[in-house]
Amino acid sequence: SGCGKTTLLKLINRLEEPSGGSIVYEGADVRQFDAFRLRRQIGWVMQGDGLFPHFTVRENIAVVPRLLEWDTATTELRVREMMQLVQLDIEAYGERYPHELSGGQRQRVGFARALAGKPDLVLMDEAFSALDPLTRDDLQRDFKSLQAGLGFSAVLVTHDMAEALILADT
């Protein structure tokens, strides 16, 4: 605790600025990117779920596509794709609010939202820590499948060494 895990992620997507050195993304120092554009092309799965409580599941997943100014039809298609990928039925869950979901369902929505903008990098801050062991195991397996299928890279910070060994390939 307190060693800078979350700060590292914040430095990568410019929520904080480095006092020295450089962070290279896509071949360039992150400070060369517009901070808002950079954040929209990098997914973020935070500790807990970080969902907007006043947005439905559908609206939470659509946040980044809307910020990227995708048209309504493309955004809706992406929301449906993401819900299918994280194994949540859109008819059953699309209009629910975060408080109406279990912890595992909320975390699945968090993953769907992080992936909705088609990022090639996803930052994961203790993404599985608040879950019970069975849900955690299921989501870790699903994450590895999603990563293999969609081909994105991830930077994962965790206190759990077993989780790091299970999920890391480098």
Side-chain angles (χ1 to χ4, degrees):
S1 293
C3 71
K5 295 181 299 296
T6 299
T7 300
L8 174 65
L9 299 181
K10 289 180 176 181
L11 289 166
I12 292 170
N13 79 353
R14 294 193 58 204
L15 286 172
E16 292 190 21
E17 296 294 334
S19 58
S22 62
I23 298 169
V24 177
Y25 171 70
E26 297 288 331
D29 188 304
V30 294
R31 289 175 287 196
Q32 295 177 1
F33 292 87
D34 173 78
F36 295 108
R37 292 179 87 109
L38 178 69
R39 290 180 202 130
R40 290 175 187 161
Q41 68 186 57
I42 295 176
W44 183 291
V45 183
M46 56 189 64
Q47 190 171 7
D49 54 58
L51 300 177
F52 297 112
H54 58 292
F55 283 4
T56 65
V57 166
R58 177 183 262 116
E59 292 167 332
N60 265 285
I61 296 170
V63 165
V64 173
R66 287 192 178 132
L67 289 172
L68 293 172
E69 299 179 350
W70 293 6
D71 64 70
T72 304
T74 303
T75 298
E76 177 61 19
L77 179 61
R78 188 62 176 174
V79 167
R80 288 179 175 281
E81 289 171 349
M82 291 297 93
M83 289 194 69
Q84 183 177 359
L85 275 173
V86 299
Q87 301 175 30
L88 289 174
D89 179 65
I90 195 163
E91 302 308 323
Y93 297 99
E95 300 310 316
R96 291 189 190 183
Y97 289 89
H99 74 274
E100 299 174 306
L101 305 174
S102 71
Q105 290 166 339
R106 286 193 305 271
Q107 201 62 24
R108 288 177 185 280
V109 175
F111 274 105
R113 183 178 64 190
L115 297 171
K118 299 183 179 182
D120 54 3
L121 177 62
V122 176
L123 306 176
M124 298 174 59
D125 189 0
E126 297 281 354
F128 306 102
S129 65
L131 302 171
D132 67 83
L134 293 176
T135 302
R136 185 179 197 156
D137 288 348
D138 286 346
L139 278 177
Q140 287 172 345
R141 264 192 311 278
D142 290 347
F143 167 76
K144 286 190 72 99
S145 295
L146 287 171
Q147 187 179 27
L150 297 176
F152 60 86
S153 296
V155 176
L156 166 74
V157 298
T158 181
H159 285 96
D160 187 334
M161 290 303 294
E163 178 175 82
L165 292 169
I166 289 167
L167 295 176
D169 57 12
T170 303

